Amino acid sequence: MAERKKTTKEERMEIVQYCINHDRNYKETAAKYGCSYSQVYSWVGKYDSQGTDGLNDNRGHRKAEEDLTDKEKLERENKRLKEELRRKEIEVKFLKKLNEFGRRQ
């Protein structure tokens, strides 16, 4: 397996174009550009379905609140509330244990 390397959007575009122009030979493309077969396959698939926007690297970037759809806003709020509920449940368990410990003394 090839070692992972960072690529720019322009490099990914060049790799995808090479692969498409060579009858989608993913193995040859991966060897030529020093990346994995699966990564080339993934980039070509994203390019086919989303165009050049599919080649953006969005890892670690959250959408701004104003760019979210209503569904995404609700999902984000739901996740926040679940995490808050989890923390509260932990706090309640801790306080119960603390109370039990106080009664034993």
Side-chain angles (χ1 to χ4, degrees), residues 57-63:
D57 185 1
N58 295 320
R59 293 175 298 170
H61 301 284
R62 289 181 61 151
K63 283 185 179 178

Side-chain angles (χ1 to χ4, degrees), residues 6 9-10 16 18 22-23 31 38 41 43-44 49-51 56 59-60 67 70 76 81 86 89 94 102-103:
K6 289 192 174 216
K9 183 177 180 182
E10 290 76 26
V16 166
Y18 179 89
H22 290 85
D23 298 322
S38 62
Y41 185 85
W43 288 332
V44 172
S49 65
Q50 302 170 30
N56 291 333
R59 293 175 298 170
D67 295 336
D70 288 340
R76 191 177 278 186
L81 290 171
R86 187 187 70 78
E89 289 171 347
F94 174 76
R103 283 192 217 153

Side-chain angles (χ1 to χ4, degrees), residues 11-53:
E11 289 171 324
R12 290 188 293 272
M13 188 66 213
E14 178 184 339
I15 293 167
V16 166
Q17 289 301 324
Y18 179 89
C19 185
I20 291 171
N21 292 338
H22 290 85
D23 298 322
R24 294 180 185 258
N25 189 335
Y26 303 106
K27 186 175 180 181
E28 176 188 321
T29 304
K32 177 176 171 52
Y33 288 96
C35 48
S36 71
Y37 177 100
S38 62
Q39 191 60 74
V40 174
Y41 185 85
S42 174
W43 288 332
V44 172
K46 288 178 181 180
Y47 178 78
D48 286 342
S49 65
Q50 302 170 30
T52 56
D53 288 341

Side-chain angles (χ1 to χ4, degrees), residues 61-84:
H61 301 284
R62 289 181 61 151
K63 283 185 179 178
E65 191 70 29
E66 59 271 5
D67 295 336
L68 296 174
T69 64
D70 288 340
K71 181 182 177 189
E72 290 170 328
K73 287 178 185 177
L74 289 172
E75 288 171 346
R76 191 177 278 186
E77 177 69 4
N78 191 25
K79 185 176 180 180
R80 186 190 66 77
L81 290 171
K82 283 181 179 180
E83 180 59 28
E84 185 178 330

